[in-house]
Amino acid sequence: MNRLAGEPSAYLRQHAHNPVAWQPFDDAAFAEAVARDVPIFLSVGYAACHWCHVMAGESFEDPAIGAYLNSHFVSIKVDREERPDVDDAYMAATQALSGEGGWPMSVFLTPDGRAFHAGTYFPPSPVSGRPSFTQVLHAVQEAWTERREQLEQTAFELAQALAQPMWQLRAVPESGVELEIAERPEWAGVAAQAVTAMAAAEDLEHGGFGNAPKFPPTPALDFLLRHAASGAPTAALAWGVAGRTLGAMVRSALFDQLGGGFARYSVSADWSEPHYEKMLYDNAGLLQSLVQWIRLADCAPEPKMHDAGTSTSVIAPLSVAEARDAVAAVVSWLLREMRLPGGAFASSLDADTVIDGVHHEGASYQSTEAELLAAAREGGVAESVAHEVAAAMGLGAKPAPLNPGQQLSAEQRAAWQALKPALLTARSRRVMPARDEKVVASWNAMLLGALTDAAMVLEEPRWLAAAVELGEYLRNVQWDGQLFRVSHAGTARGIKGLLEDYAASAKGVLRLYAATGETSYFEFAAQLLHALEEDFIADGVVFNHGAHDAGAGPLQGSRFADPFDNATASGVALLADALASWAAYTGSSRHRAIAESLISGLPALVRRAPRAAGGLLAVAESLMAGPLELAVVGPEGTARSALLREAWLSASPGLVVATGVGEGSAVVPLLTGRTPLQDGEKTQAQAYVCRNMACAYPVTTPEALRQLLR
């Protein structure tokens, strides 16, 4: 019997009516496999995945395949976004067994959960050397029947090989921290080495890194932007690479030129053919990068940095005006299309549009020249100019993505702005992709930090109000003495949060505290960080989920934290970043020591894959830049707001901000003993700045504060 109809996951419910007797990933499914003594077919995907839909239509909806699976296997379906621990573990097995990875992921397991054969998408008929799904099923069944001992030996050896931690601290004794600490000169050298390696790998023709498919290098961008603010000899080089990458993406079809938001990746190297799914985590990370790019404009003027970072690329770095427009477009899209009742945000929009039961990838977003010309008539744009815009964007009779690239002139860009309202109206009449409405704690927490920063830097109170509502949702719905990874319709369920959920939430909540001065957010961060230290570090090992949490099967989930980034910064990097900020707020040398220990392996990581170490490199930049601690105290009003405004414009990655009226605070140690300036009966706000444990004399003007924060 198919057991998915009652599951809250949109992805699992998409398969509830398949003829396959799908089971969710739980003890009952494993128990059935043991009782029947049959192998398990594990299928992992997610709601917005185009090729997951393709394989479902070709194979999982086929009655004959369903009957064969039901007779010879126990079939388990997993939503990788709800269970990234399961996905991580079996992805490692899939890569080891097949040399490839991706989704849909198809893994065959022993009844106790160990992998012995794996792949990704299997077609209905053999193609390009790839066997059909039916051939694979028959081959696995034959091997299970005829060579079971050999398969079980393979499964045992693979499980043993994968059961080793990738990242380990020296020691974390109860009495204190005795860890190997990387020296700062080494961090600086490694950061410079990474910048140089990334610059050498830059695609100077199209922007970004590598060939097709091309993904937004989000954690690497975070590092490059933090390094650009450092004043190091390679800062200009980092500025140029980051600016050209952002410019190429924002001006391309990867960025939804009408509705806002970034697609997951580009099928083509020139960013012209997006894979249309829109993920919350991509947009949270890129929103953060866009805001940091705006900050950099003040501390690193564009002409100076552009000259210093000159390359042979034809791509112009993103302008501040373009960055501001992109931030506004991303936030508007998030609030319009991704925000849920209660203030949290949905996980994704599907890559496909379903029209009359048929999946069409990207159909909601593509346009034709005829549609653009109709918009020109409605918007009062000259037809000749509209033709030029259509040609520059590559539009013809066949629907295609909107891709302005570097090609629009100033006149054409003005025309494009005039065309947008009519094109958006036309889009609103189309069938739009499905939305996966599960709330993932880590992705929402990443957005919490980015949305807070965007609100403060661009001075948008409405955005800050949305961030506050999101923070309240995380605290009131996802948290109940422990953090839940997912919630649906305002109710938390499923597994306890993973390392990335706790660490990202602590980071996001601290940003919200900095913006609001509300100490309850600081206290919430303290609870999250206490749980991180108690639950995710044991015997010097950093765990992906609670060190003492139990689960079904030897590969129930990836136990150990991976230091390398994926689409987002690694859980190890998120943990180190949260601890670094906490140490700056509290003066805790112990928490800073743990953060420094977490990045002590950077030299080896950078030698292997510098772009995949961007998260930890970004933390190294924060640690080298600080602690840079700012306490702004005084009565609420224009004077205090002006000082805080200056703080939020600072590009320093090591800065933490605390604010209060000035009586001192037992809750926030950074405010303790800080008092406003008393001039007779007048009380005036002032700012206290400390850098590397040395404090400057307090100042009362934004100009003086700006000099201290540079």
Side-chain angles (χ1 to χ4, degrees):
M1 180 184 72
N2 188 313
R3 292 171 50 212
L4 301 186
E7 291 293 310
S9 163
Y11 175 65
L12 297 190
R13 291 199 309 274
Q14 287 173 358
H15 296 271
H17 302 293
N18 293 163
V20 181
W22 291 114
Q23 313 290 305
F25 190 94
D26 60 14
D27 290 341
F30 284 93
E32 180 181 338
V34 170
R36 290 174 53 195
D37 196 30
V38 296
I40 292 168
F41 170 58
L42 179 74
S43 176
V44 183
Y46 57 103
C49 169
H50 170 70
W51 286 100
C52 299
H53 298 319
V54 172
M55 189 169 177
E58 293 173 341
S59 296
F60 302 149
E61 295 175 9
D62 185 323
I65 289 178
Y68 192 86
L69 280 168
N70 298 342
S71 295
H72 301 288
F73 300 88
V74 168
S75 299
I76 297 177
K77 179 62 79 171
V78 170
D79 181 340
R80 68 169 296 266
E81 296 172 349
E82 284 208 356
R83 297 301 305 266
D85 53 336
V86 175
D87 178 63
D88 287 348
Y90 288 108
M91 182 61 74
T94 298
Q95 291 171 332
L97 288 166
S98 69
E100 63 178 5
W103 302 277
M105 181 165 60
S106 305
V107 195
F108 295 90
L109 318 176
T110 61
D112 62 359
R114 292 177 292 184
F116 61 83
H117 185 72
T120 54
Y121 164 77
F122 291 110
S125 302
V127 60
S128 301
R130 188 181 293 266
S132 72
F133 187 51
T134 300
Q135 287 176 319
V136 171
L137 292 178
H138 284 279
V140 169
Q141 169 58 20
E142 179 186 7
W144 182 256
T145 303
E146 304 296 332
R147 300 184 301 280
R148 178 168 176 173
E149 184 176 339
Q150 178 183 341
L151 296 187
E152 290 184 331
Q153 182 63 28
T154 297
F156 173 79
E157 292 174 356
L158 179 60
Q160 290 290 104
L162 295 176
Q164 302 299 321
M166 296 183 65
W167 197 249
Q168 191 160 359
L169 305 177
R170 285 288 178 132
V172 187
E174 292 183 4
S175 58
V177 178
E178 299 173 5
L179 304 170
E180 180 181 0
I181 307 301
E183 294 295 327
R184 287 195 172 195
E186 183 182 10
W187 300 349
V190 169
Q193 177 187 346
V195 170
T196 303
M198 291 183 195
E202 183 185 6
D203 180 347
L204 295 175
E205 182 179 0
H206 304 302
F209 304 99
N211 298 312
K214 185 174 283 185
F215 291 81
T218 309
L221 275 175
D222 185 20
F223 158 62
L224 290 168
L225 291 165
R226 295 195 200 192
H227 188 78
S230 69
T234 45
L237 187 60
W239 186 93
V241 175
R244 289 187 292 273
T245 301
L246 285 170
M249 292 193 299
V250 167
R251 299 178 193 123
S252 76
L254 184 81
F255 188 66
D256 183 350
Q257 301 294 327
L258 281 182
F262 291 89
R264 178 69 195 93
Y265 64 89
S266 173
V267 176
S268 61
D270 63 357
W271 307 104
S272 64
E273 291 289 339
H275 187 59
Y276 290 90
E277 63 195 23
K278 290 183 181 179
M279 313 302 296
L280 185 64
Y281 53 76
D282 286 320
N283 284 278
L286 292 171
L287 176 61
Q288 187 73 66
S289 292
L290 289 167
V291 173
Q292 181 67 0
W293 182 253
I294 295 169
R295 286 191 178 112
L296 279 171
D298 181 59
C299 73
E302 290 179 33
K304 177 182 174 183
M305 292 298 283
H306 188 215
D307 293 343
T310 296
S311 77
T312 58
S313 177
V314 298
I315 300 168
L318 191 70
S319 71
V320 174
E322 288 176 306
R324 285 179 170 273
D325 288 345
V327 167
V330 170
V331 175
S332 295
W333 166 72
L334 286 165
L335 296 177
R336 183 180 65 251
E337 298 188 33
M338 299 295 282
R339 198 177 187 202
L340 301 169
F345 290 78
S347 296
S348 63
L349 293 180
D350 208 323
D352 292 6
T353 304
V354 181
I355 302 173
D356 297 329
V358 179
H359 287 261
H360 300 271
E361 185 181 4
S364 301
Y365 304 110
Q366 296 174 345
S367 297
T368 64
E369 182 181 29
E371 289 171 336
L372 192 142
L373 293 177
R377 289 189 290 273
E378 187 173 332
V381 176
E383 187 169 313
S384 60
V385 178
H387 272 295
E388 292 174 2
V389 173
M393 289 194 174
L395 296 182
K398 183 179 178 181
L402 297 166
N403 184 34
Q406 299 275 331
Q407 304 171 50
L408 296 186
S409 67
E411 181 186 18
Q412 291 165 355
R413 288 190 181 279
W416 170 240
Q417 293 302 319
L419 290 168
K420 279 186 177 182
L423 289 170
L424 275 169
T425 299
R427 178 186 286 188
S428 69
R429 294 191 286 265
R430 297 175 178 173
V431 177
M432 295 304 291
R435 184 172 71 177
D436 185 347
E437 296 190 348
K438 70 170 171 290
V439 175
V440 178
S442 58
W443 305 348
N444 274 265
M446 292 170 192
L447 179 60
L448 175 61
L451 185 57
T452 299
D453 280 20
M456 300 305 287
V457 172
L458 274 70
E459 298 183 281
E460 289 284 354
R462 187 171 65 93
W463 298 357
L464 183 59
V468 168
E469 191 172 359
L470 173 55
E472 290 297 313
Y473 185 97
L474 288 172
R475 181 166 59 179
N476 296 329
V477 176
Q478 306 280 143
W479 175 258
D480 183 17
Q482 72 170 27
L483 188 68
F484 287 86
R485 175 163 176 82
V486 299
S487 64
H488 294 269
T491 301
R493 66 168 299 279
I495 64 170
K496 172 184 171 181
L498 304 175
L499 175 66
E500 71 168 17
D501 296 300
Y502 275 84
S505 294
K507 278 189 60 181
V509 168
L510 283 175
R511 297 306 287 168
L512 190 57
Y513 161 70
T516 64
E518 174 54 61
T519 55
S520 65
Y521 296 130
F522 190 85
E523 293 172 312
F524 183 29
Q527 294 176 296
L528 291 163
L529 285 159
H530 177 75
L532 278 164
E533 194 174 354
E534 292 291 315
D535 295 349
F536 292 88
I537 302 174
D539 300 323
V541 175
V542 181
F543 287 83
N544 190 36
H545 57 70
H548 309 293
D549 295 349
L555 286 181
Q556 179 265 350
S558 176
R559 292 191 66 206
F560 304 111
D562 184 349
F564 284 113
D565 304 324
N566 203 304
T568 60
S570 70
V572 175
L574 293 169
L575 172 61
D577 216 1
L579 290 170
S581 293
W582 185 252
Y585 273 115
T586 63
S588 169
S589 59
R590 183 169 63 84
H591 288 98
R592 184 175 176 92
I594 299 174
E596 292 184 352
S597 178
L598 287 167
I599 70 168
S600 63
L602 263 176
L605 298 181
V606 169
R607 282 194 297 271
R608 287 176 58 187
R611 293 206 306 275
L616 284 170
L617 284 163
V619 179
E621 292 293 342
S622 294
L623 290 169
M624 285 189 285
L628 178 56
E629 302 153 337
L630 171 63
V632 178
V633 293
E636 291 186 23
T638 56
R640 193 175 88 174
S641 295
L643 291 171
L644 288 170
R645 172 69 182 156
E646 199 60 49
W648 283 98
L649 290 176
S650 170
S652 173
L655 176 65
V656 298
V657 180
T659 186
V661 294
E663 293 93 347
S665 171
V667 176
V668 185
L670 186 54
L671 291 176
T672 302
R674 312 296 193 186
T675 58
L677 180 65
Q678 200 70 40
D679 184 9
E681 296 183 358
K682 182 181 179 182
T683 302
Q684 185 175 353
Q686 60 182 354
Y688 294 78
V689 177
C690 301
R691 188 191 298 268
N692 297 330
M693 286 71 75
C695 298
Y697 195 76
V699 296
T700 58
T701 67
E703 294 76 17
L705 178 58
R706 185 180 310 130
Q707 294 303 315
L708 291 176
L709 293 179
R710 285 187 181 275

